Amino acid sequence: MTDLPARDQLATHEVLNQPAPEGDRDLWAGDAALREAIAREGGQSETLAPYGATLGRAEMRAAGREANDHAPELVLFDRAGRRLDEVRFHPSYHRFMQTSVAAGYAAVAWEEAPGGHVTHAAQVYLASQVEPGHCCPLTMTYAATPALRAAPKIAEAWAPKLTSRRYDPAMAPVGAKQGATLGMAMTEKQGGSDVRANTTNATRDGDHYRLRGHKWFCSAPMSDGFLTLAQAPEGLTCFLVPRWLEGERNSVQIQRLKAKLGNHSNASSEIEYQDTLAFRIGDEGRGVRTIIEMVHHTRLDTAMAPAGLMRGALSEALHWVRHRAAFQRRLIDQPLMRAVLADLALDVEAALILGLRTARAFDGSTPEDRAFARIAVALAKFHSNKRAPVVTYEAMEALGGMGYVEDTPLPLFYREAPLNGIWEGSGNVICLDILRTLAKEPLAAETLRAELTAATGSDPRYDAALKAHEARWPALPPEAEARWFVERLALLLQASLLIRHAPAAVADAFTATRLAGEAGRITGAMAGSDVSAILDRLG
């Protein structure tokens, strides 16, 4: 059935100078930078092409709005007062989960085909442009698989379900399901990022444990299980808490859903363990080392999501300015608007190219790959998330008052923009982690240095910026300068990748504005840059 157009001849006026609904948008075919990066880094274009085309359809964008307009509902009790502790979702949320699970969002990295992590990272980028909330449970499901290897028998039962391409929201034990998702419950009120301050207690009970305590943040409480930390006799230990047992519900009690700034389609909660059955993952006392494998992989997603959010916001701004006129000219033809949009495009492409290069290191198997993945993912997470709120706001402003109205997706992107910078280590935590990595892992510093020097000799401005960085910090900086140090390091790494792989117009403009100082602190200083060439890459 073809939808009839809305009436534009109204009683008091005619609707003019308003962009028509965009219709379907192919997120893969319309993104030259993504397609080039996937070809270069070894991702699976045959997987990404249909996924990007599906997500970009107008009906999927409408479903994304529905999933966020109808927030998850916490149902604690049935009508008789029996405890349920369920979270119920709008059908549109389940539609996204089904689409992304079938595309391999949580599975493709573990299916042993080449480029699995690169492909997964690109899926995060694509999904974040349409409905970022459903990414949370799938990201943790993806990241849990390597952590479970510390408990081979548990992994044997759970890993096939976590890497299934069948979405199964049924409340049933994992053995009875076609597919499963896994969440995370680590932080507590008194400790936050300092998980060693956790007080949740674990008591041995035969071949399993019983947990008792409170978790201040439990991501995705509707999951089939959680990885969690608790204090066992030998110290802080990692556990798998199954949500559903044979014939009964495990005693995971949801206290409330968090009323969050954004991420409305996804449930986040506080929970209590009340003698809750759990299985140990790894040795007692080695909980941080065990779960850090999951954190490492979730950080890849928190580095890719801001690139997708920025791209989604920029795409909305582009559609508006191409179909809106002011002062007798289309907005897209006005030099200052073009400069702003091109400047935003540099942030998007830089975040994308760094994220996918990092993902290739996750696909690698050498010590050098692993070392580079550790340092690069932290740099990408920190810097891309610092840029995301700025880029989404500027895209919002391009629409004027309409950008501030919920009829457009810009408010959703803006609310979402701070999330990934906070989740899995806020800015200060990440910067201190980078300093520790560079101090304790010489190979990480060596692989980073190799990436930076690979671009020398191509642009004297880049060479000068790299020398200035090394002169300013011949050794690691004091803690108080960590953010400044990390920002410059991330910009240099992005510039190195763009110089080597992006079109000359993109690399030149990025180097001039981010490294050579030919810009102010406000978006839109693009004098001397080939703005048209940059904008032409956006489709």
Side-chain angles (χ1 to χ4, degrees), residues 24-69:
D24 293 344
R25 176 195 300 163
D26 191 326
L27 304 186
W28 169 260
D31 195 330
L34 173 63
R35 297 195 310 275
E36 292 167 9
I38 291 301
R40 181 175 61 251
E41 307 297 357
Q44 301 169 19
S45 59
E46 69 279 6
T47 296
L48 295 168
Y51 186 59
T54 296
L55 288 176
R57 293 205 304 261
E59 63 178 291
M60 290 299 287
R61 298 204 302 277
R65 174 178 292 278
E66 288 180 339
N68 283 273
D69 287 345

Side-chain angles (χ1 to χ4, degrees), residues 72-197:
E73 177 188 4
L74 176 60
V75 183
L76 290 178
F77 301 95
D78 70 6
R79 61 187 294 176
R82 302 178 185 91
R83 193 92 193 190
L84 290 175
D85 293 289
E86 295 178 7
V87 184
R88 297 176 184 172
F89 295 83
H90 189 271
S92 290
Y93 173 87
H94 291 293
R95 181 176 183 181
F96 274 95
M97 289 290 287
Q98 183 176 21
T99 298
S100 293
V101 168
Y105 188 115
V108 68
W110 314 115
E111 292 175 335
E112 299 185 355
H117 289 285
V118 171
T119 305
H120 164 79
Q123 289 177 324
V124 177
Y125 169 78
L126 291 168
S128 297
Q129 297 178 45
V130 183
E131 205 301 287
H134 82 289
C135 295
C136 177
L138 294 180
T139 284
M140 290 184 293
T141 301
Y142 149 78
T145 295
L148 292 182
R149 293 170 183 163
K153 289 185 178 180
I154 294 175
E156 183 179 355
W158 280 81
K161 307 294 183 176
L162 301 180
T163 56
S164 168
R165 293 199 180 206
R166 301 288 297 276
Y167 174 55
D168 185 351
M171 290 171 284
V174 68
K177 299 195 64 169
Q178 295 178 324
T181 60
L182 206 62
M184 181 189 293
M186 290 203 296
T187 59
E188 299 180 7
K189 294 176 183 177
Q190 71 283 353
S193 296
D194 183 9
V195 294
R196 295 187 186 279

Side-chain angles (χ1 to χ4, degrees), residues 57-368:
R57 293 205 304 261
E59 63 178 291
M60 290 299 287
R61 298 204 302 277
R65 174 178 292 278
E66 288 180 339
N68 283 273
D69 287 345
H70 301 276
E73 177 188 4
L74 176 60
V75 183
L76 290 178
F77 301 95
D78 70 6
R79 61 187 294 176
R82 302 178 185 91
R83 193 92 193 190
L84 290 175
D85 293 289
E86 295 178 7
V87 184
R88 297 176 184 172
F89 295 83
H90 189 271
S92 290
Y93 173 87
H94 291 293
R95 181 176 183 181
F96 274 95
M97 289 290 287
Q98 183 176 21
T99 298
S100 293
V101 168
Y105 188 115
V108 68
W110 314 115
E111 292 175 335
E112 299 185 355
H117 289 285
V118 171
T119 305
H120 164 79
Q123 289 177 324
V124 177
Y125 169 78
L126 291 168
S128 297
Q129 297 178 45
V130 183
E131 205 301 287
H134 82 289
C135 295
C136 177
L138 294 180
T139 284
M140 290 184 293
T141 301
Y142 149 78
T145 295
L148 292 182
R149 293 170 183 163
K153 289 185 178 180
I154 294 175
E156 183 179 355
W158 280 81
K161 307 294 183 176
L162 301 180
T163 56
S164 168
R165 293 199 180 206
R166 301 288 297 276
Y167 174 55
D168 185 351
M171 290 171 284
V174 68
K177 299 195 64 169
Q178 295 178 324
T181 60
L182 206 62
M184 181 189 293
M186 290 203 296
T187 59
E188 299 180 7
K189 294 176 183 177
Q190 71 283 353
S193 296
D194 183 9
V195 294
R196 295 187 186 279
N198 284 7
T199 60
T200 295
N201 182 261
T203 303
R204 191 70 181 254
D205 183 9
D207 63 351
H208 54 267
Y209 289 71
R210 296 286 175 176
L211 306 187
R212 193 166 188 84
H214 180 273
K215 292 296 179 181
W216 188 229
F217 277 94
C218 173
S219 300
M222 62 290 184
S223 300
D224 295 291
F226 311 111
L227 286 185
T228 195
L229 294 173
Q231 298 287 355
E234 297 298 321
L236 194 64
T237 304
C238 181
F239 295 93
L240 170 64
V241 176
R243 193 75 171 81
W244 322 108
L245 306 176
E246 292 292 342
E248 63 177 310
R249 299 164 188 259
N250 204 359
S251 53
V252 177
Q253 295 199 353
I254 302 175
Q255 303 304 300
R256 62 171 174 164
L257 298 185
K258 296 287 193 179
K260 299 170 293 184
L261 170 67
N263 203 241
H264 290 163
S265 69
N266 176 51
S268 303
S269 67
E270 298 171 34
I271 64 170
E272 283 191 354
Y273 296 133
Q274 298 187 3
D275 296 325
T276 306
L277 184 144
F279 298 98
R280 193 182 75 223
I281 306 295
D283 295 332
E284 279 195 13
R286 297 176 67 83
V288 172
R289 177 166 293 191
T290 301
I291 209 165
I292 201 68
E293 191 69 21
M294 184 177 188
V295 172
H296 177 56
H297 285 81
T298 55
R299 282 185 178 176
L300 176 61
D301 289 28
T302 60
M304 288 305 307
L309 295 172
M310 289 189 284
R311 174 65 198 204
L314 181 57
S315 295
E316 292 295 328
L318 284 167
H319 177 66
W320 179 268
V321 301
R322 285 167 176 165
H323 298 87
R324 175 85 167 176
F327 308 109
Q328 291 76 53
R329 286 188 298 174
R330 286 192 313 159
L331 291 177
I332 191 60
D333 297 327
Q334 299 185 16
L336 187 54
M337 180 62 77
R338 293 175 66 79
V340 169
L341 295 173
D343 206 351
L344 301 181
L346 295 180
D347 283 315
V348 174
E349 185 152 355
L352 175 64
I353 200 170
L354 176 54
L356 292 180
R357 170 63 186 94
T358 301
R360 176 158 64 88
F362 276 71
D363 276 319
S365 58
T366 67
E368 291 78 10

Side-chain angles (χ1 to χ4, degrees), residues 391-433:
V391 171
T392 53
Y393 162 72
E394 290 286 358
M396 179 185 291
E397 188 175 297
L399 275 68
M402 280 302 301
Y404 199 67
V405 174
E406 297 285 351
D407 290 342
T408 76
L410 271 302
L412 182 150
F413 290 130
Y414 191 61
R415 288 191 296 267
E416 197 77 16
L419 173 60
N420 293 281
I422 297 170
W423 186 36
E424 298 299 20
S426 57
N428 287 355
V429 171
I430 295 298
C431 288
L432 296 176
D433 185 50

